[in-house]
Amino acid sequence: MAKFTIFNISEDVFGIDISRVLEILRVQKIFSIPGLPGFLTGVMSVRGSVIPVMDLRLRFGIKPVDNSKERIILVRYGEEKIGFLVDVIREILQLDSEEIRPSPSIFKGFKTEYLTGLGKKGEQIIILLNIDNLLTSEEKIWLRESKELLEDNSAGTGKTAQ
Amino acid sequence: MIFRKSITTKFIATVFALLLIVQSLGTIAFLLYIRSSFFEELQTRMNNAALIMSGASSYPLMSYDFTQIDTFLEEVAKDEEITSIHIFDSKGKTVREKIKVGDAEIFSLNPFYFKKGMQVSAPVNSGSSKIGEVTIHFSGRSINDNIKKSMGIIMIVQGIALMTLGFFMVYFFQKNIKRPVQEINSTIAKITNGDLTATIPDLGDNEIGSIAKGVGVLELRLKQMIAKINETAMNVGMAIKRVDHTYQIASEGISSQAVAVKNGIRSIQLANKSQREVSENIEKLLNFSTENVKSLFEMKATAEEMSSQTERLFRSAEDSYSVVLEMSQSSKSISAHSGEARSAVEDTSASVEEIGASVREVEAYAIDSSKIADTVKEITSGVGMMSVVNAVEGMDSISDQVQKSAEIIQRLGTRSVDIEKVLSVIRDVTEQTNLLSLNAAILAAQAGEYGKSFSVVADEIRALSERTASSTRDIGGIVKTIQKDIKDAVHAVDNAKLKVDDGNTLVVKVGEALREILNASVQSSDMTKAIERATGEQSLGLKQITSAVEEIRKVVVGVTKSTKEQENALSYLLEGVGDVKEVAELSKRSASEQAEGARIITRNIELANEKINQINTNELNQKKVNTEIIDAMENINSIGTVTMENMEEVSNSLSTLVREIEALKQEMEVFKIS
């Protein structure tokens, strides 16, 4: 039994375990700064701290479409935080253990390593993401080591924001 | 209850039980160890005793000195452990023995389970040959006593140690864990009940202290979130008030539109009434003018007849004159012709009578015509013109009302744009509320058991925000419909305006036509007056003619009677006939004058008729236009009704929204944040 933040990317429905979610934010100004690796869209400023943002749609090879309901899910990654850009936040949903099934070898073209399982609520199939596997090990290392780079650049981004 | 629930008590009890078990096991092991060491010692001692005994008894045994053995026995048997000593010879026969305690008694001395027959033997040797054997039976009494004693001491010492330990543990737990946890507990209970002003004291830099800090941070976040939600609810409330205000203004606008449209319709109805009056008057005019034309035609015929009669009279008079001349020239033929003259005079008299009747008829017709013309004039200048003026005024007021309607509708349009603006604010606020509720749900889930009540609130807020969103969508749809209605209404009003302009032109045309009729009837009236005058003069002339003819007749009679007086009377006759000729000429001139007047009148009347027909067509057009205007007005009215219904729907949605916001506020009132 666990609670999940349920959201959409295109037509597909995904879930992230709520224990890893810190906050849901409106899309705000995202700054691209020099030296940022390709998997990040940019960084944003949340209550004074600078947080990298990754577009989950790009990670899943889906072209982002402009919509007003775009949101950022702020997620804890060990000591670090990262924001995932998604299409629509739907709800906070509780799934009992019998409603969660192990993922098949391949589901809708998503790599199995991205998934922890499939949630089933009524007719709805929810792809439960294993967010630890969303980033490659190099990306994780970058994220861990990036703190200084982000702090250095935060002063600069602060100016651009004004 | 407290004892069962308290982790502290459970923990202390578990530690106590464990300590007790471990201590007991230790004690048992210790006792077992002590027992075995005591036992070994005892066995060594007994062995030694047996060896001493055997050594000491070798000689006495040889010499059968049993007293010495007995002394030894007594001496050795003083040892409390020894229960019995037996000395056997080489054949195994008991030589001497000392029994202190029986076997049964031994068992009662041995509560710690020692073998019943604990014994040691030592051979009694003389040189290298065995001459006997010493056997000593013994009990473990001293060991038992020792164990008993040490058990008591161990228990007391352990008891004291455990008590002290227990006391220190309880004290430590009370001080360092139980109280801080209770404080955290009570604060969380307050938070759960909605009192977010509760604070947690600094509990130091240990695990409990960090939990307290965590709860404090959680509470702060809750507080911020609730403040945000409160603010949002207030924003939504304000927005709704603005929408409500705008809606009321719009409502007033629609009501005043409805009033304006009603006024417009009333004006149109008034105009219609005026038009109907005009129509009736015109119909009357038409009747009159038909009558007029009929009268005029009759008059014309009579006048023409009269003209021919007059001609005949004139000719007769001339004939008479020439006859009289002839008479005067040939007096002889006078007599012969006097009968002829008499009949001619009588003819003339009849003709004159006829003319008189015709002239009277003409006079009567002329008077009729004059009266009709006057009536026409009166109608045209009085009621007719007034109706036209009324119609123009009606049209103007319709135009005015339509203009007002158009303005009100335009205002309505701007108001609905305002509503749209406010709706977008509400949409924004709703989205923010939704986001807040999601975050609240995340926080509640992470707070675990204590967050449950808050998670209920978060769910409620989310449901409210979704309901608000759907209400806002509904209102948006309705406002779109209203905007379409308003566009339709503007179109209808524009149409109505065009129709009113058409009506105005027609009314002006009717006015012009009426003015022309007035002119024509004034002219007709003048002409009929002239005819009247002419016929009056003619009448007078005819009377003179009649009297002259009468005189002629008398003269002719006189001529017939006295042919003798012929010559005298001849000059007189000539004079009389000259008078007749004069009168006949006057009559002829009057008749032709009269005929000319009748022609002019006919022309005027025909002109008037034409105009009246034109008015009639205009009138019909006007009626059509009026019907169209009424249709357009009714259209506006029905659109207004639909708009009103839509506005009512908006109002309902707004009150739903207000109720929901009120519910949200009540939900939020549970939380004290300052």
Side-chain angles (χ1 to χ4, degrees):
Chain A
M1 194 182 82
K3 282 194 170 178
F4 292 88
T5 304
I6 307 300
F7 59 93
N8 267 30
I9 289 180
S10 183
E11 296 296 310
D12 294 314
V13 186
F14 293 87
I16 289 181
D17 193 329
I18 205 166
S19 61
R20 295 293 294 271
V21 178
L22 285 168
E23 199 172 357
I24 293 164
L25 300 166
R26 265 184 207 229
V27 174
Q28 39 196 293
K29 188 150 176 57
I30 295 175
F31 303 97
S32 59
I33 54 172
L36 218 55
F39 74 100
L40 292 178
T41 313
V43 295
M44 61 178 178
S45 166
V46 178
R47 284 191 273 281
S49 55
V50 178
I51 288 167
V53 179
M54 180 173 119
D55 197 330
L56 265 195
R57 297 169 290 196
L58 291 177
R59 173 106 321 188
F60 295 147
I62 295 164
K63 210 177 167 198
V65 186
D66 269 354
N67 82 61
S68 61
K69 293 190 168 176
E70 263 183 359
R71 294 283 186 267
I72 291 171
I73 306 179
L74 199 59
V75 164
R76 197 153 35 75
Y77 234 101
E79 290 291 306
E80 320 307 328
K81 295 170 182 173
I82 187 166
F84 290 142
L85 205 59
V86 302
D87 276 336
V88 181
I89 301 287
R90 291 163 68 111
E91 58 191 327
I92 304 296
L93 189 66
Q94 183 164 311
L95 286 175
D96 297 329
S97 44
E98 60 262 30
E99 287 171 323
I100 300 175
R101 297 169 186 188
S103 52
S105 57
I106 199 152
F107 184 76
K108 281 193 167 185
F110 290 106
K111 289 185 201 163
T112 321
E113 62 195 49
Y114 287 165
L115 316 182
T116 52
L118 292 177
K120 196 164 187 294
K121 196 96 186 171
E123 289 299 303
Q124 181 80 273
I125 300 280
I126 301 159
I127 303 166
L128 303 179
L129 289 179
N130 180 353
I131 59 168
D132 284 324
N133 288 348
L134 274 180
L135 298 186
T136 62
S137 23
E138 290 107 69
E139 288 167 349
K140 280 184 209 163
I141 289 166
W142 189 91
L143 199 63
R144 209 171 305 134
E145 290 175 350
S146 65
K147 208 155 191 179
E148 279 174 37
L149 172 68
L150 293 180
E151 295 303 322
D152 286 349
N153 276 289
S154 66
T157 47
K159 270 171 203 157
T160 8
Q162 282 165 4
Chain B
M1 287 301 274
I2 282 169
F3 284 107
R4 232 190 302 160
K5 270 198 167 176
S6 161
I7 299 169
T8 317
T9 320
K10 239 187 250 177
F11 178 73
I12 290 172
T14 314
V15 168
F16 256 38
L18 270 173
L19 267 178
L20 217 58
I21 290 163
V22 170
Q23 289 274 31
S24 310
L25 286 175
T27 309
I28 289 164
F30 174 66
L31 288 175
L32 284 174
Y33 170 72
I34 285 178
R35 197 188 73 148
S36 71
S37 70
F38 273 138
F39 188 64
E40 264 170 40
E41 195 189 324
L42 186 65
Q43 215 157 23
T44 319
R45 193 150 57 113
M46 287 306 135
N47 265 335
N48 287 342
L51 282 174
I52 291 164
M53 194 65 202
S54 68
S57 359
S58 105
Y59 179 71
L61 206 59
M62 292 271 279
S63 58
Y64 294 97
D65 186 359
F66 292 127
T67 32
Q68 204 177 349
I69 288 173
D70 281 345
T71 324
F72 276 130
L73 271 177
E74 286 298 326
E75 202 62 38
V76 171
K78 275 180 186 161
D79 193 327
E80 277 190 338
E81 302 293 329
I82 293 166
T83 53
S84 60
I85 304 169
H86 306 268
I87 300 168
F88 306 98
D89 62 11
S90 55
K91 286 166 196 121
K93 202 182 115 202
T94 304
V95 182
R96 298 303 290 174
E97 61 180 0
K98 169 82 179 177
I99 295 170
K100 281 166 74 185
V101 188
D103 273 358
E105 272 174 286
I106 288 169
F107 188 68
S108 78
L109 288 170
N110 261 340
F112 292 99
Y113 187 67
F114 289 103
K115 276 177 282 179
K116 234 190 276 175
M118 284 193 299
Q119 63 174 51
V120 285
S121 308
V124 181
N125 294 325
S126 171
S128 58
S129 58
K130 185 184 169 191
I131 56 164
E133 203 178 23
V134 176
T135 305
I136 298 174
H137 290 262
F138 60 94
S139 73
R141 173 192 273 171
S142 69
I143 301 173
N144 277 330
D145 289 349
N146 276 335
I147 288 172
K148 261 189 213 161
K149 223 184 282 169
S150 43
M151 258 176 80
I153 291 165
I154 285 167
M155 274 183 176
I156 289 163
V157 168
Q158 274 187 354
I160 290 167
L162 278 176
M163 291 268 279
T164 317
L165 186 65
F167 176 73
F168 276 113
M169 264 162 73
V170 168
Y171 176 73
F172 178 79
F173 269 102
Q174 284 283 2
K175 196 190 170 196
N176 288 328
I177 295 172
K178 201 176 168 187
R179 210 170 326 119
V181 166
Q182 265 171 355
E183 265 175 56
I184 291 172
N185 255 352
S186 69
T187 311
I188 286 173
K190 274 186 202 162
I191 291 170
T192 310
N193 286 334
D195 181 7
L196 293 180
T197 52
T199 49
I200 291 186
D202 190 3
L203 294 172
D205 199 12
N206 51 25
E207 294 88 330
I208 289 173
S210 68
I211 289 173
K213 269 177 205 146
V215 171
V217 169
L218 213 59
E219 189 192 14
L220 194 70
R221 297 277 296 271
L222 275 176
K223 228 189 261 184
Q224 286 169 352
M225 190 160 301
I226 282 157
K228 262 193 200 172
I229 291 170
N230 265 343
E231 198 188 316
T232 305
M234 250 149 73
N235 280 347
V236 172
M238 259 158 63
I240 285 167
K241 255 178 216 153
R242 267 178 64 195
V243 172
D244 208 33
H245 184 66
T246 311
Y247 157 73
Q248 262 161 15
I249 289 171
S251 252
E252 275 165 23
I254 286 172
S255 310
S256 50
Q257 185 204 350
V259 171
V261 168
K262 250 176 225 154
N263 282 346
I265 286 176
R266 212 166 47 233
S267 298
I268 288 170
Q269 277 161 353
L270 274 176
N272 252 356
K273 217 178 114 199
S274 303
Q275 214 111 43
R276 250 201 312 282
E277 276 171 27
V278 169
S279 175
E280 277 164 17
N281 286 331
I282 282 167
E283 216 135 288
K284 269 193 222 162
L285 266 181
L286 203 63
N287 286 341
F288 281 137
S289 78
T290 314
E291 250 177 75
N292 224 348
V293 167
K294 222 170 81 195
S295 305
L296 275 170
F297 274 127
E298 278 172 31
M299 193 170 91
K300 207 172 145 195
T302 314
E304 265 160 17
E305 205 188 319
M306 197 173 80
S307 186
S308 74
Q309 300 265 20
T310 312
E311 204 86 20
R312 262 171 68 201
L313 177 72
F314 188 64
R315 259 202 315 278
S316 296
E318 266 191 346
D319 279 356
S320 293
Y321 191 65
S322 64
V323 165
V324 170
L325 267 185
E326 270 177 42
M327 256 184 0
S328 71
Q329 275 162 6
S330 56
S331 51
K332 269 192 187 170
S333 59
I334 289 170
S335 172
H337 284 115
S338 68
E340 247 180 79
R342 204 174 135 191
S343 72
V345 166
E346 254 152 33
D347 267 6
T348 304
S349 179
S351 289
V352 166
E353 278 299 312
E354 260 178 63
I355 290 167
S358 287
V359 165
R360 268 195 298 281
E361 230 177 293
V362 169
E363 203 178 356
Y365 284 136
I367 286 164
D368 263 7
S369 201
S370 174
K371 266 189 201 154
I372 289 167
D374 278 348
T375 319
V376 169
K377 212 166 89 185
E378 207 175 281
I379 288 170
T380 319
S381 65
V383 188
M385 270 331 251
M386 220 157 74
S387 298
V388 169
V389 167
N390 277 350
V392 169
E393 271 172 9
M395 283 327 246
D396 278 351
S397 99
I398 289 168
S399 179
D400 239 35
Q401 300 294 0
V402 167
Q403 191 63 37
K404 264 189 213 160
S405 286
E407 276 166 18
I408 286 161
I409 287 164
Q410 288 292 349
R411 273 218 301 280
L412 217 58
T414 32
R415 286 299 170 202
S416 71
V417 170
D418 282 353
I419 291 176
E420 231 173 2
K421 273 186 215 155
V422 174
L423 279 180
S424 85
V425 171
I426 294 179
R427 255 199 292 279
D428 203 41
V429 167
T430 310
E431 260 180 39
Q432 211 172 325
T433 314
N434 192 27
L435 197 67
L436 283 172
S437 75
L438 282 172
N439 279 328
I442 289 172
L443 267 179
Q446 284 173 353
E449 194 65 26
Y450 294 116
K452 257 188 183 161
S453 56
F454 190 67
S455 118
V456 172
V457 176
D459 278 354
E460 208 101 321
I461 291 168
R462 202 171 71 86
L464 277 172
S465 80
E466 261 162 26
R467 282 215 297 280
T468 308
S470 84
S471 291
T472 312
R473 267 198 298 280
D474 286 353
I475 293 173
I478 292 163
V479 166
K480 283 240 165 65
T481 320
I482 290 174
Q483 270 172 347
K484 205 184 137 274
D485 288 349
I486 286 168
K487 219 174 260 169
D488 287 353
V490 167
H491 192 66
V493 166
D494 282 350
N495 264 352
K497 235 155 113 180
L498 284 180
K499 302 283 177 209
V500 167
D501 286 349
D502 278 0
N504 255 348
T505 335
L506 285 176
V507 166
V508 169
K509 270 192 197 165
V510 168
E512 276 168 11
L514 276 174
R515 210 160 287 132
E516 277 176 42
I517 290 171
L518 191 66
N519 285 342
S521 53
V522 166
Q523 258 182 341
S524 289
S525 183
D526 288 352
M527 282 302 163
T528 39
K529 289 248 166 69
I531 290 173
E532 226 182 306
R533 221 169 34 244
T535 41
E537 276 172 28
Q538 212 171 23
S539 238
L540 200 79
L542 279 173
K543 262 180 200 148
Q544 280 179 5
I545 289 172
T546 309
S547 64
V549 167
E550 191 60 30
E551 272 171 42
I552 288 169
R553 205 175 57 85
K554 276 178 191 163
V555 169
V556 169
V557 167
V559 167
T560 319
K561 273 182 180 173
S562 57
T563 34
K564 277 188 183 168
E565 288 172 38
Q566 248 175 9
E567 275 168 24
N568 290 343
L570 203 64
S571 58
Y572 182 68
L573 180 70
L574 263 176
E575 205 179 307
V577 172
D579 276 356
V580 170
K581 205 179 153 194
E582 243 170 58
V583 171
E585 263 169 5
L586 179 72
S587 194
K588 194 182 160 194
R589 217 172 42 242
S590 289
S592 63
E593 210 176 279
Q594 192 183 6
E596 177 67 19
R599 253 201 314 284
I600 290 168
I601 290 168
T602 313
R603 219 179 41 241
N604 277 335
I605 295 289
E606 269 165 8
L607 191 73
N609 241 2
E610 204 180 288
K611 289 292 167 193
I612 285 165
N613 277 333
Q614 200 186 325
I615 288 172
N616 238 1
T617 1
N618 282 346
E619 239 263 319
L620 283 176
N621 281 343
Q622 172 87 44
K623 249 185 196 160
K624 217 176 94 200
V625 168
N626 274 353
T627 318
E628 278 171 21
I629 290 172
I630 286 179
D631 281 354
M633 286 302 212
E634 266 164 13
N635 210 359
I636 293 170
N637 225 10
S638 69
I639 287 167
T641 313
V642 172
T643 309
M644 204 73 180
E645 277 165 16
N646 285 333
M647 291 304 258
E648 251 156 51
E649 240 178 274
V650 171
S651 164
N652 287 342
S653 300
L654 282 178
S655 24
T656 315
L657 216 56
V658 167
R659 268 206 304 284
E660 277 161 14
I661 291 302
E662 278 308 312
L664 181 60
K665 270 188 191 158
Q666 269 173 13
E667 294 277 356
M668 297 318 298
E669 264 166 24
V670 176
F671 294 96
K672 272 202 288 179
I673 52 170
S674 59

